[in-house]
Coordinates of all heavy atoms in Angstrom, one line a residue:
L1 N -2.8 21.5 14.7 CA -1.5 21.1 15.2 C -0.4 21.5 14.3 O -0.5 21.5 13.1 CB -1.5 19.6 15.3 CG -2.5 18.9 16.2 CD1 -2.4 17.4 16.0 CD2 -2.2 19.2 17.6
V2 N 0.8 22.0 14.9 CA 1.9 22.3 14.1 C 3.0 21.3 14.4 O 3.3 21.0 15.6 CB 2.4 23.7 14.5 CG1 3.7 24.0 13.7 CG2 1.3 24.8 14.2
V3 N 3.6 20.7 13.4 CA 4.6 19.7 13.5 C 5.9 20.2 12.8 O 5.8 21.1 12.0 CB 4.2 18.4 12.9 CG1 3.0 17.8 13.6 CG2 4.0 18.5 11.4
P4 N 7.1 19.7 13.2 CA 8.3 20.1 12.6 C 8.2 19.8 11.1 O 7.7 18.8 10.6 CB 9.4 19.3 13.2 CG 8.8 18.9 14.6 CD 7.3 18.8 14.3
A5 N 8.8 20.7 10.3 CA 8.7 20.5 8.8 C 9.4 19.2 8.4 O 9.0 18.6 7.5 CB 9.4 21.7 8.1
D6 N 10.5 18.8 9.1 CA 11.2 17.6 8.8 C 10.3 16.3 9.0 O 10.7 15.3 8.5 CB 12.4 17.5 9.6 CG 13.5 18.5 9.2 OD1 13.4 19.0 8.1 OD2 14.4 18.7 10.0
A7 N 9.2 16.4 9.7 CA 8.4 15.3 10.0 C 7.5 14.9 8.9 O 6.9 13.8 8.8 CB 7.6 15.5 11.3
V8 N 7.2 15.9 8.0 CA 6.3 15.7 6.9 C 7.0 15.3 5.6 O 8.0 16.0 5.2 CB 5.4 16.9 6.7 CG1 4.4 16.7 5.5 CG2 4.6 17.3 8.0
T9 N 6.6 14.2 5.0 CA 7.2 13.8 3.7 C 6.1 13.5 2.7 O 4.9 13.7 3.1 CB 8.2 12.6 3.9 OG1 8.9 12.4 2.7 CG2 7.5 11.4 4.4
S10 N 6.4 13.1 1.6 CA 5.3 12.8 0.6 C 5.5 11.4 0.0 O 6.6 11.0 -0.2 CB 5.4 13.8 -0.6 OG 5.7 15.1 -0.2
S11 N 4.3 10.8 -0.4 CA 4.3 9.6 -1.0 C 4.7 9.8 -2.5 O 4.8 10.9 -3.0 CB 3.0 8.9 -0.9 OG 2.0 9.7 -1.5
A12 N 4.8 8.7 -3.3 CA 5.1 8.8 -4.7 C 4.1 9.6 -5.5 O 4.5 10.3 -6.5 CB 5.2 7.4 -5.3
D13 N 2.9 9.6 -5.1 CA 1.9 10.4 -5.8 C 1.7 11.9 -5.2 O 0.9 12.6 -5.6 CB 0.5 9.7 -5.7 CG -0.1 9.7 -4.4 OD1 0.4 10.2 -3.4 OD2 -1.2 9.1 -4.3
G14 N 2.6 12.2 -4.3 CA 2.6 13.6 -3.8 C 1.8 13.8 -2.5 O 1.7 14.9 -2.0
T15 N 1.1 12.8 -2.0 CA 0.3 12.9 -0.8 C 1.2 13.1 0.4 O 2.1 12.3 0.7 CB -0.6 11.7 -0.6 OG1 -1.4 11.5 -1.8 CG2 -1.5 11.8 0.6
P16 N 1.0 14.2 1.2 CA 1.8 14.4 2.4 C 1.5 13.4 3.4 O 0.3 13.0 3.6 CB 1.5 15.8 2.8 CG 0.2 16.2 2.2 CD 0.1 15.3 1.0
F17 N 2.5 12.9 4.2 CA 2.2 12.0 5.3 C 3.3 12.1 6.4 O 4.3 12.7 6.1 CB 2.1 10.5 4.8 CG 3.5 9.9 4.4 CD1 4.2 9.2 5.3 CD2 3.9 10.0 3.1 CE1 5.5 8.7 4.9 CE2 5.1 9.5 2.7 CZ 5.9 8.8 3.6
V18 N 3.0 11.6 7.5 CA 3.9 11.5 8.6 C 4.0 10.0 9.0 O 3.1 9.2 8.7 CB 3.5 12.3 9.8 CG1 3.4 13.8 9.5 CG2 2.1 11.9 10.4
W19 N 5.0 9.7 9.8 CA 5.2 8.3 10.4 C 4.6 8.4 11.8 O 5.2 9.0 12.6 CB 6.6 7.9 10.3 CG 7.1 7.6 9.0 CD1 8.0 8.4 8.2 CD2 6.8 6.6 8.1 NE1 8.2 7.9 7.0 CE2 7.5 6.7 6.9 CE3 6.0 5.4 8.3 CZ2 7.4 5.8 5.8 CZ3 5.9 4.5 7.2 CH2 6.6 4.8 6.0
L20 N 3.5 7.7 12.0 CA 2.8 7.7 13.3 C 3.4 6.5 14.1 O 3.4 5.4 13.7 CB 1.3 7.5 13.1 CG 0.4 7.6 14.3 CD1 0.5 9.0 14.9 CD2 -1.0 7.2 14.0
Y21 N 3.7 6.8 15.3 CA 4.3 5.8 16.3 C 3.1 5.1 16.9 O 2.2 5.6 17.5 CB 5.1 6.5 17.3 CG 5.7 5.6 18.4 CD1 6.6 4.6 18.1 CD2 5.2 5.7 19.7 CE1 7.1 3.8 19.0 CE2 5.7 4.8 20.7 CZ 6.7 3.9 20.3 OH 7.2 3.0 21.3
D22 N 3.3 3.7 17.0 CA 2.3 2.8 17.7 C 3.0 2.3 18.9 O 3.9 1.5 18.8 CB 1.9 1.7 16.8 CG 1.0 0.7 17.5 OD1 0.7 0.9 18.6 OD2 0.6 -0.3 16.8
P23 N 2.6 2.8 20.1 CA 3.3 2.4 21.3 C 3.2 0.9 21.7 O 4.0 0.4 22.3 CB 2.7 3.3 22.4 CG 1.4 3.8 21.9 CD 1.6 3.8 20.4
E24 N 2.1 0.3 21.2 CA 1.9 -1.1 21.5 C 2.9 -2.0 20.8 O 3.4 -3.0 21.4 CB 0.5 -1.5 21.2 CG -0.5 -1.0 22.1 CD -1.9 -1.5 21.9 OE1 -2.1 -2.6 21.3 OE2 -2.9 -0.8 22.3
S25 N 3.2 -1.7 19.5 CA 4.1 -2.5 18.8 C 5.6 -1.9 18.7 O 6.5 -2.6 18.3 CB 3.6 -2.6 17.3 OG 3.6 -1.4 16.7
G26 N 5.7 -0.6 19.1 CA 7.0 0.0 19.0 C 7.4 0.4 17.6 O 8.6 0.6 17.3
T27 N 6.4 0.4 16.6 CA 6.7 0.6 15.2 C 6.0 1.8 14.7 O 5.2 2.4 15.4 CB 6.3 -0.6 14.4 OG1 4.8 -0.7 14.5 CG2 6.9 -1.9 14.8
V28 N 6.4 2.2 13.5 CA 5.7 3.3 12.8 C 4.9 2.9 11.7 O 5.2 1.9 11.1 CB 6.7 4.4 12.4 CG1 7.3 5.1 13.6 CG2 7.8 3.9 11.5
G29 N 3.9 3.7 11.3 CA 3.1 3.4 10.1 C 2.8 4.7 9.4 O 2.8 5.8 10.1
M30 N 2.6 4.6 8.2 CA 2.3 5.9 7.4 C 0.9 6.4 7.7 O -0.1 5.6 7.8 CB 2.4 5.5 5.9 CG 2.3 6.7 5.0 SD 2.3 6.1 3.2 CE 3.9 5.6 3.0
R31 N 0.8 7.7 7.9 CA -0.5 8.4 8.1 C -0.6 9.6 7.2 O 0.2 10.5 7.3 CB -0.6 8.8 9.6 CG -1.7 9.7 9.9 CD -3.1 9.0 9.9 NE -3.2 7.9 10.9 CZ -3.6 8.1 12.1 NH1 -4.0 9.3 12.6 NH2 -3.7 7.0 12.9
S32 N -1.5 9.5 6.3 CA -1.7 10.7 5.4 C -2.3 11.9 6.2 O -3.0 11.7 7.1 CB -2.7 10.3 4.3 OG -2.2 9.3 3.5
V33 N -1.8 13.0 5.8 CA -2.2 14.3 6.5 C -2.6 15.3 5.5 O -2.0 15.3 4.4 CB -1.2 14.8 7.5 CG1 -1.0 13.9 8.7 CG2 0.2 15.0 6.8
E34 N -3.5 16.2 5.8 CA -3.8 17.4 5.0 C -3.0 18.5 5.7 O -3.2 18.7 7.0 CB -5.3 17.7 5.0 CG -5.6 18.9 4.2 CD -7.1 19.2 4.2 OE1 -7.9 18.4 4.8 OE2 -7.5 20.2 3.7
I35 N -2.2 19.3 5.0 CA -1.4 20.3 5.6 C -1.7 21.7 5.0 O -2.2 21.8 3.9 CB 0.1 20.0 5.4 CG1 0.5 19.8 3.9 CG2 0.5 18.7 6.2 CD1 2.0 19.7 3.7
D36 N -1.3 22.7 5.7 CA -1.3 24.1 5.3 C 0.1 24.5 4.9 O 1.1 23.6 5.0 CB -1.8 24.9 6.5 CG -2.3 26.3 6.1 OD1 -2.3 26.6 4.9 OD2 -2.7 27.1 7.0
A37 N 0.3 25.7 4.4 CA 1.6 26.1 4.0 C 2.6 26.1 5.2 O 2.2 26.4 6.3 CB 1.5 27.5 3.4
P38 N 3.9 25.8 5.0 CA 4.9 25.9 6.1 C 5.0 27.3 6.6 O 4.8 28.3 5.9 CB 6.1 25.4 5.4 CG 5.8 24.9 4.1 CD 4.4 25.5 3.7
S39 N 5.4 27.4 7.9 CA 5.7 28.6 8.5 C 7.0 28.5 9.3 O 7.6 27.4 9.3 CB 4.6 29.1 9.4 OG 4.6 28.2 10.6
R40 N 7.5 29.5 10.0 CA 8.7 29.4 10.8 C 8.5 28.4 11.9 O 9.5 27.7 12.3 CB 9.0 30.7 11.4 CG 9.6 31.7 10.4 CD 10.0 32.9 11.1 NE 10.6 33.9 10.1 CZ 11.1 35.0 10.4 NH1 11.1 35.4 11.7 NH2 11.5 35.8 9.5
A41 N 7.3 28.2 12.4 CA 7.0 27.3 13.5 C 6.9 25.8 13.1 O 7.0 25.0 13.9 CB 5.7 27.7 14.2
G42 N 6.8 25.6 11.8 CA 6.7 24.2 11.3 C 5.5 24.1 10.2 O 5.3 25.1 9.5
I43 N 4.9 23.0 10.2 CA 3.8 22.8 9.2 C 2.5 22.5 10.0 O 2.5 21.6 10.8 CB 4.1 21.7 8.2 CG1 5.3 22.0 7.4 CG2 2.9 21.3 7.4 CD1 5.7 20.9 6.4
R44 N 1.5 23.3 9.7 CA 0.2 23.1 10.3 C -0.5 21.9 9.7 O -0.7 21.9 8.5 CB -0.6 24.3 10.3 CG -1.9 24.2 11.2 CD -2.5 25.6 11.4 NE -3.1 26.1 10.2 CZ -4.3 26.4 10.1 NH1 -5.2 26.3 11.1 NH2 -4.8 26.9 9.0
V45 N -0.9 21.0 10.5 CA -1.7 19.8 10.0 C -3.1 20.1 10.2 O -3.6 20.3 11.4 CB -1.2 18.5 10.8 CG1 -2.1 17.3 10.4 CG2 0.2 18.2 10.6
L46 N -3.9 20.1 9.1 CA -5.3 20.4 9.2 C -6.1 19.2 9.5 O -7.2 19.3 10.1 CB -5.7 21.0 7.8 CG -5.0 22.2 7.4 CD1 -5.4 22.6 5.9 CD2 -5.2 23.4 8.3
S47 N -5.7 18.0 9.0 CA -6.4 16.8 9.4 C -5.5 15.6 9.2 O -4.4 15.7 8.6 CB -7.6 16.6 8.5 OG -7.2 16.4 7.2
G48 N -5.8 14.5 9.9 CA -5.0 13.3 9.9 C -4.3 13.0 11.2 O -3.8 11.8 11.3
L49 N -4.1 14.0 12.0 CA -3.5 13.8 13.3 C -4.3 14.4 14.4 O -5.1 15.3 14.2 CB -2.1 14.5 13.4 CG -0.9 13.9 12.7 CD1 0.3 14.7 12.9 CD2 -0.7 12.5 13.1
Q50 N -4.2 13.8 15.6 CA -4.9 14.3 16.8 C -3.8 14.7 17.8 O -2.8 14.1 17.9 CB -5.8 13.3 17.4 CG -6.9 12.8 16.4 CD -7.8 11.8 17.1 OE1 -7.7 11.5 18.3 NE2 -8.7 11.2 16.3
R51 N -4.2 15.7 18.6 CA -3.3 16.1 19.7 C -3.0 14.8 20.5 O -3.8 14.0 20.8 CB -4.0 17.1 20.6 CG -3.1 17.7 21.6 CD -3.7 18.9 22.3 NE -4.1 20.0 21.4 CZ -3.3 20.8 20.7 NH1 -2.0 20.7 20.9 NH2 -3.7 21.8 19.9
G52 N -1.7 14.6 20.8 CA -1.2 13.5 21.6 C -0.6 12.4 20.7 O 0.0 11.5 21.2
D53 N -0.9 12.4 19.4 CA -0.3 11.4 18.5 C 1.2 11.7 18.5 O 1.6 12.8 18.6 CB -0.8 11.6 17.1 CG -2.2 11.0 16.8 OD1 -2.7 10.2 17.7 OD2 -2.8 11.3 15.8
R54 N 2.0 10.6 18.5 CA 3.4 10.7 18.4 C 3.9 10.3 17.0 O 3.5 9.3 16.5 CB 4.0 9.8 19.5 CG 3.6 10.3 20.9 CD 4.2 9.5 22.0 NE 5.6 9.8 22.0 CZ 6.4 9.1 22.8 NH1 6.0 8.1 23.6 NH2 7.7 9.4 22.9
I55 N 4.8 11.2 16.5 CA 5.3 11.0 15.1 C 6.8 11.0 15.1 O 7.4 11.6 16.0 CB 4.7 12.1 14.2 CG1 5.1 13.4 14.6 CG2 3.2 11.9 14.1 CD1 4.8 14.6 13.6
A56 N 7.3 10.4 14.1 CA 8.8 10.5 13.8 C 9.1 11.8 13.3 O 8.4 12.4 12.5 CB 9.2 9.4 12.8
V57 N 10.2 12.4 13.9 CA 10.6 13.8 13.4 C 12.0 13.7 12.8 O 12.5 14.8 12.3 CB 10.5 14.8 14.6 CG1 9.1 15.0 15.0 CG2 11.4 14.4 15.7
S58 N 12.7 12.6 12.9 CA 14.0 12.6 12.2 C 14.2 11.2 11.6 O 13.5 10.2 12.0 CB 15.2 12.8 13.2 OG 15.2 11.8 14.2
G59 N 15.0 11.2 10.5 CA 15.2 9.9 9.8 C 14.0 9.4 9.0 O 13.9 8.3 8.7
V60 N 13.0 10.3 8.7 CA 11.8 9.9 8.1 C 11.9 9.4 6.7 O 11.1 8.6 6.3 CB 10.7 11.1 8.1 CG1 10.4 11.5 9.5 CG2 11.2 12.3 7.3
H61 N 13.0 9.7 6.0 CA 13.2 9.2 4.7 C 13.8 7.8 4.6 O 13.8 7.2 3.6 CB 14.1 10.2 3.9 CG 13.5 11.6 3.7 ND1 12.4 11.8 3.0 CD2 13.8 12.7 4.3 CE1 12.0 13.1 3.0 NE2 12.9 13.7 3.9
T62 N 14.1 7.3 5.8 CA 14.7 5.9 5.8 C 13.7 4.9 6.4 O 14.0 3.8 6.5 CB 16.0 5.9 6.7 OG1 15.7 6.3 8.0 CG2 17.0 6.8 6.1
L63 N 12.5 5.4 6.9 CA 11.5 4.6 7.5 C 10.7 3.9 6.5 O 10.5 4.3 5.4 CB 10.7 5.4 8.5 CG 11.4 6.0 9.7 CD1 10.4 6.9 10.5 CD2 11.9 5.0 10.6
T64 N 10.1 2.7 6.9 CA 9.1 2.0 6.2 C 8.0 1.6 7.2 O 8.3 1.5 8.4 CB 9.7 0.8 5.4 OG1 10.3 -0.1 6.4 CG2 10.7 1.2 4.4
S65 N 6.9 1.2 6.7 CA 5.8 0.7 7.6 C 6.3 -0.5 8.4 O 6.9 -1.4 7.8 CB 4.6 0.4 6.8 OG 3.9 1.6 6.4
G66 N 6.1 -0.4 9.7 CA 6.5 -1.6 10.5 C 7.9 -1.4 11.1 O 8.4 -2.3 11.9
T67 N 8.7 -0.4 10.7 CA 10.0 -0.2 11.3 C 9.9 0.1 12.8 O 9.1 0.9 13.2 CB 10.7 1.0 10.6 OG1 10.8 0.8 9.3 CG2 12.1 1.3 11.3
M68 N 10.7 -0.7 13.6 CA 10.8 -0.5 15.0 C 11.6 0.8 15.3 O 12.6 1.0 14.7 CB 11.4 -1.7 15.7 CG 10.5 -2.9 15.6 SD 10.8 -4.1 16.9 CE 10.2 -3.3 18.3
V69 N 11.1 1.6 16.2 CA 11.8 2.9 16.5 C 11.8 3.0 18.1 O 11.1 2.3 18.8 CB 11.1 4.1 15.9 CG1 11.1 4.1 14.4 CG2 9.7 4.2 16.4
H70 N 12.7 3.8 18.5 CA 12.9 4.1 20.0 C 12.4 5.5 20.2 O 13.1 6.5 19.8 CB 14.3 3.9 20.4 CG 14.8 2.5 20.1 ND1 14.5 1.4 20.9 CD2 15.6 2.1 19.1 CE1 15.1 0.4 20.4 NE2 15.7 0.7 19.3
P71 N 11.3 5.7 20.9 CA 10.7 7.1 21.1 C 11.6 7.9 22.0 O 12.3 7.3 22.9 CB 9.4 6.8 21.8 CG 9.5 5.5 22.4 CD 10.4 4.7 21.5
M72 N 11.6 9.1 21.8 CA 12.4 10.1 22.6 C 11.5 11.2 23.0 O 10.6 11.6 22.3 CB 13.6 10.6 21.8 CG 14.5 9.5 21.4 SD 16.0 10.0 20.5 CE 17.1 10.1 21.9
S73 N 11.8 11.9 24.1 CA 11.0 13.0 24.5 C 11.5 14.2 23.8 O 12.5 14.2 23.0 CB 11.2 13.3 26.1 OG 12.5 13.6 26.3
A74 N 10.8 15.3 24.0 CA 11.1 16.5 23.2 C 12.5 17.1 23.5 O 13.1 17.7 22.6 CB 10.1 17.6 23.5
D75 N 13.0 16.7 24.6 CA 14.4 17.2 24.9 C 15.5 16.2 24.4 O 16.7 16.4 24.6 CB 14.6 17.5 26.4 CG 14.5 16.2 27.3 OD1 14.4 15.1 26.7 OD2 14.6 16.3 28.5
G76 N 15.1 15.1 23.7 CA 16.0 14.2 23.2 C 16.4 13.0 24.0 O 17.2 12.2 23.6
S77 N 15.8 13.0 25.2 CA 16.2 11.8 26.1 C 15.3 10.6 25.8 O 14.1 10.8 25.4 CB 16.0 12.2 27.6 OG 14.7 12.6 27.9
P78 N 15.8 9.4 25.9 CA 15.0 8.2 25.6 C 13.9 8.0 26.6 O 13.9 8.5 27.7 CB 16.0 7.0 25.8 CG 17.3 7.7 25.8 CD 17.2 9.1 26.2
Q79 N 12.8 7.4 26.1 CA 11.6 7.2 27.0 C 11.5 5.7 27.2 O 11.8 4.9 26.4 CB 10.4 7.7 26.4 CG 10.4 9.3 26.4 CD 9.0 9.8 26.0 OE1 8.3 9.2 25.3 NE2 8.8 11.0 26.5

């Protein structure tokens, strides 16, 4: 899977992670990922995500576990 580079951040110990959206609670939680080198298309995730998982792609540096978010479609419209 390739995700936008802005979606991947690092924990204090340098472990890369994304904020995974939980549709039941409407919140995000930290999900560690193994990544490959960035490319023009984004960052390839080698493990930690599955096709269909929804992740935060903006504002990731302001999120914390349990933060409520409002999902948007790829074109930016609310869902």
Side-chain angles (χ1 to χ4, degrees):
L1 298 172
V2 176
V3 300
D6 290 343
V8 180
T9 190
S10 319
S11 64
D13 68 2
T15 302
F17 73 91
V18 297
W19 291 106
L20 184 67
Y21 176 67
D22 177 0
E24 290 185 25
S25 66
T27 63
V28 292
M30 188 184 290
R31 172 69 64 88
S32 295
V33 292
E34 181 183 355
I35 58 172
D36 200 358
S39 70
R40 286 186 182 183
I43 296 179
R44 189 163 69 119
V45 175
L46 304 174
S47 66
L49 284 180
Q50 297 180 6
R51 190 167 304 283
D53 284 346
R54 297 182 71 188
I55 61 171
V57 296
S58 63
V60 298
H61 298 290
T62 63
L63 297 173
T64 58
S65 288
T67 300
M68 293 200 70
V69 297
H70 301 284
M72 301 183 94
S73 64
D75 67 3
S77 61
Q79 291 189 334

